[in-house]
Amino acid sequence: MFHCKSKRCNLNTTGLQIQRKIAGTISPNDNVIFDTLLNSKGSVFYDSLTGQIVINKNGMYFINWSVSTQSSLGSNNLIFSIQSSNGDDLIGNSSINTGEVIGFDIIQVDSAPIALSLINKTSNDIVYSTLVPIVANLVLFETPECTVNTSASGATGITGSTGITGATWITGITEATLML
């Protein structure tokens, strides 16, 4: 546990960072398949055959992802979505059919495990960029849960002595004095 003033934060967190470095094409409703596992800590598993992430621990998770694209014929825009077995459909999109699509998402896991994937929701195939070494990146981490310290407090201390009374000043004119 990490103590910060009156809060207690659990820093025993779960995290994952995966990347795709291989160019290619992704079809509509297919999962982005990441080929490189950079970091995995705690109760999370990534299946590189299906593109599915499984979170095995309750908590709140932040997800940051990006996909670099070269083209999508017949499309005016690009749409990707984080979809989970809990029914989450967290969309990131671009109004043009080439470039980088990014997304920032928060998922609350109240009943682990849950599965999630980054999915191409564009109506056509998308060609990954051939101009960059990393065509897709995803970072997932559990946000620390901080709670206010509600432990019992000690007894109230002794009341200090009363200070001296200040000087009294001349009383001003009142409405009753003016009416005389």
Side-chain angles (χ1 to χ4, degrees), residues 88-145:
D88 297 297
D89 185 17
L90 307 167
I91 294 174
N93 59 322
S94 172
S95 60
I96 56 176
N97 67 354
T98 186
E100 185 177 36
V101 183
I102 61 172
F104 303 91
D105 304 306
I106 294 176
I107 291 184
Q108 179 67 42
V109 177
D110 292 324
S111 183
I114 71 158
L116 57 90
S117 301
L118 179 59
I119 299 173
N120 172 16
K121 298 304 289 181
T122 307
S123 58
N124 297 313
D125 288 351
I126 293 176
V127 178
Y128 292 115
S129 177
T130 57
L131 303 175
V132 294
I134 300 169
V135 297
N137 191 47
L138 184 143
V139 175
L140 173 143
F141 64 88
E142 179 184 9
T143 60
E145 294 186 30

Side-chain angles (χ1 to χ4, degrees), residues 15-93:
L16 174 73
Q17 182 175 9
I18 47 182
Q19 293 179 336
R20 180 182 176 95
K21 296 181 179 181
I22 300 171
T25 302
I26 182 170
S27 298
N29 297 311
D30 279 357
N31 294 346
V32 174
I33 303 295
F34 297 91
D35 54 50
T36 304
L37 175 66
L38 294 176
N39 195 341
S40 180
K41 179 182 182 299
S43 300
V44 64
F45 173 76
Y46 176 67
D47 184 339
S48 61
L49 296 177
T50 65
Q52 191 171 72
I53 299 165
V54 177
I55 301 171
N56 292 304
K57 180 181 173 190
N58 291 349
M60 183 177 290
Y61 294 85
F62 178 78
I63 303 170
N64 178 5
W65 59 266
S66 65
V67 180
S68 296
T69 65
Q70 185 168 316
S71 66
S72 178
L73 298 176
S75 295
N76 293 328
N77 61 359
L78 301 172
I79 304 168
F80 285 87
S81 176
I82 292 286
Q83 293 187 342
S84 78
S85 57
N86 280 353
D88 297 297
D89 185 17
L90 307 167
I91 294 174
N93 59 322

Side-chain angles (χ1 to χ4, degrees), residues 1 4 6-10 144-150:
M1 288 288 184
C4 49
S6 63
K7 295 184 179 183
R8 296 170 53 119
C9 300
N10 182 354
E145 294 186 30
C146 295
T147 56
V148 176
N149 185 357
T150 58

Side-chain angles (χ1 to χ4, degrees), residues 167-174:
T168 304
W169 295 98
I170 302 170
T171 304
I173 300 173
T174 63

